[in-house]
Amino acid sequence: LHYPLRRQRQMCIRDSYKIGYNSVPNEETKKEGTEKQTKKSGVSHPEDISVISWNPRIFLYHNFLSKEECEYIISLGGSEISKEKNPLLTTMGTYLIEHQEDSLVLDIERRIAEWTQIPVQNGEILYLRKFEEGDMFPEHIDYFSEPQYIGEQGNRLASVYMCLQEPIRGGEIVFESTNAKIPCKTGDALLYFNLSPGGDVLKESAHAFLKVEEGNMWTLTKWIRQNTAGRGESRQAEHQ
């Protein structure tokens, strides 16, 4: 694996806030948060969570979704994808607007809320994306820098990226600031914070998806706002 294995078994995101809200925690506070998590986490299998980075905060949850769940989500919205609005992208995607009340969609949102300890209502609608062979996503940030796109919902505090179908080769997500290179593995979910605990944007959260060298890759993304999010399509789709 290409990502740093600073693995902390049974890590709870809520406790990671408490033990290092305004700074990178030291080894003692990391251990403390790990021990607290056993009692407080809503995560079903906390032993499957790895800490990729503390600055910015990046967490990897292995097997967050089952293979059957991944296949179902692809079948649910796969026929609705279209060319991205961002002219720099060759990928295709769609918000699952028509499927917000689907039982599995609701369950995924509930599980994300349990993991992140951020209310479901703060999340934007799930976004399904397909990378075909040769597709990539250049380095970008998920947070908004223009005030008109933030509004009462607040900025994008965090993002949860889920791999629904891994490619044969390529498609890794790369955070240059941490030298992390994380492969897309079917069922895995990656949580990363775009803002600091104080609400400042984190340029270190910039990331890119490397070119899919062989096969296709499907991903599902949940962008989480600081406040209760509107349940409509993002107002700035070119920033997906």
Side-chain angles (χ1 to χ4, degrees):
L1 297 180
H2 298 281
Y3 53 83
L5 287 176
R6 294 164 60 179
R7 184 176 180 85
Q8 300 292 316
R9 292 173 63 86
Q10 302 179 322
M11 166 55 63
C12 176
I13 303 306
R14 177 175 56 189
D15 287 319
S16 77
Y17 275 148
K18 291 180 179 179
I19 65 176
Y21 199 81
N22 293 311
S23 62
V24 178
N26 57 34
E27 292 303 320
E28 181 178 348
T29 53
K30 286 181 190 178
K31 181 179 179 181
E32 177 186 351
T34 300
E35 292 172 348
K36 286 181 179 179
Q37 131 67 25
T38 305
K39 297 181 180 179
K40 296 185 178 180
S41 176
V43 173
S44 299
H45 299 284
E47 69 276 6
D48 289 331
I49 299 176
S50 301
V51 177
I52 303 300
S53 168
W54 285 104
N55 186 30
R57 296 178 185 273
I58 307 174
F59 305 87
L60 179 63
Y61 194 151
H62 298 283
N63 303 310
F64 182 75
L65 300 173
S66 70
K67 180 180 178 182
E68 292 74 22
E69 289 172 332
C70 292
E71 292 173 347
Y72 177 80
I73 292 297
I74 293 173
S75 67
L76 189 68
S79 62
E80 301 169 11
I81 61 173
S82 60
K83 179 73 172 60
E84 305 268 15
K85 294 181 180 180
N86 187 331
L88 299 178
L89 298 179
T90 57
T91 50
M92 295 183 289
T94 185
Y95 284 93
L96 298 182
I97 296 174
E98 302 301 322
H99 308 289
Q100 295 179 69
E101 301 304 316
D102 180 88
S103 59
L104 179 57
V105 169
L106 291 172
D107 188 57
I108 291 173
E109 293 193 333
R110 176 190 59 78
R111 283 147 61 183
I112 290 173
E114 286 184 351
W115 179 23
T116 63
Q117 296 295 297
I118 302 172
V120 171
Q121 292 78 10
N122 287 42
E124 297 181 23
I125 297 171
L126 288 165
Y127 191 81
L128 179 67
R129 176 178 279 127
K130 181 183 182 182
F131 292 76
E132 295 184 338
E133 195 167 303
D135 286 342
M136 60 182 295
F137 198 150
E139 186 175 62
H140 62 285
I141 42 86
D142 286 356
Y143 60 79
F144 296 114
S145 55
E146 303 87 350
Q148 65 268 33
Y149 298 118
I150 298 174
E152 295 181 359
Q153 300 175 18
N155 215 329
R156 284 175 170 171
L157 168 64
S159 304
V160 177
Y161 145 74
M162 293 154 277
C163 179
L164 302 182
Q165 180 181 307
E166 62 190 73
I168 298 173
R169 189 161 49 92
E172 299 92 343
I173 184 171
V174 175
F175 292 83
E176 186 175 350
S177 65
T178 64
N179 198 32
K181 182 179 179 182
I182 306 153
C184 176
K185 295 295 183 183
T186 301
D188 284 0
L190 191 73
L191 165 64
Y192 50 94
F193 286 85
N194 307 304
L195 306 182
S196 72
D200 297 321
V201 299
L202 291 174
K203 294 181 180 179
E204 295 85 355
S205 66
H207 54 282
F209 289 90
L210 300 184
K211 182 186 294 185
V212 173
E213 301 289 349
E214 185 177 359
N216 293 326
M217 182 171 78
W218 287 84
T219 66
L220 187 67
T221 304
K222 166 66 73 175
W223 291 292
I224 303 173
R225 297 288 190 122
Q226 292 171 293
N227 307 310
T228 301
R231 302 302 290 170
E233 185 171 332
S234 170
R235 293 173 57 193
Q236 190 169 349
E238 64 267 27
H239 274 243
Q240 292 160 6

